[in-house]
Amino acid sequence: EREQEIDTAARREAAAMLLLEFIGKKEALRLERKDVEAHFQKLAAMSQSNLEVVKRYYQEDHRARELAAALMEEKILELMLAHAIMTE
C-alpha cells in the first residue's frame, strides 16, 4: 500500500510538472538573466552573504540548473495566480 501511495504521488507530481511546462511554453515565458540576478541579490541579503559567494555557490554542480527550474516554476505559478478567478 505504501508503494502505491508513493507511486500515486510521483505520478501527480510528474503530471503537475508537465502541466506547468506546457503553460510556460504556451505563454512563451522565459527566464531572464535579470530574474536570476534578482534572486541572487535576495538570497545574499537574506543570508547576509556576499553576492559573489552566492553566485559561486549556484555555479557548482547542477545547482544553477535546479535554480533555473525552480525560478521558472515560480514564474509560471505567478502567472497562473494573476489570471485566477476566485469563487466562493
Side-chain angles (χ1 to χ4, degrees), residues 34-78:
K34 67 178 183 171
D35 299 321
V36 177
E37 278 294 321
H39 188 73
F40 285 156
Q41 290 175 1
K42 185 169 108 180
L43 288 175
M46 286 175 32
S47 64
Q48 298 179 342
S49 296
N50 180 295
L51 181 60
E52 293 307 314
V53 171
V54 172
K55 287 181 180 182
R56 258 185 307 212
Y57 173 80
Y58 280 96
Q59 289 172 347
E60 294 175 10
D61 301 321
H62 298 286
R63 291 184 187 122
R65 191 174 302 148
E66 292 168 2
L67 174 64
L71 291 176
M72 190 63 184
E73 181 178 327
E74 186 177 306
K75 198 171 202 175
I76 295 166
L77 290 173
E78 286 174 359

Side-chain angles (χ1 to χ4, degrees), residues 27-38:
E27 296 296 324
L29 292 179
R30 299 281 181 256
L31 187 63
E32 298 180 23
R33 184 72 195 150
K34 67 178 183 171
D35 299 321
V36 177
E37 278 294 321

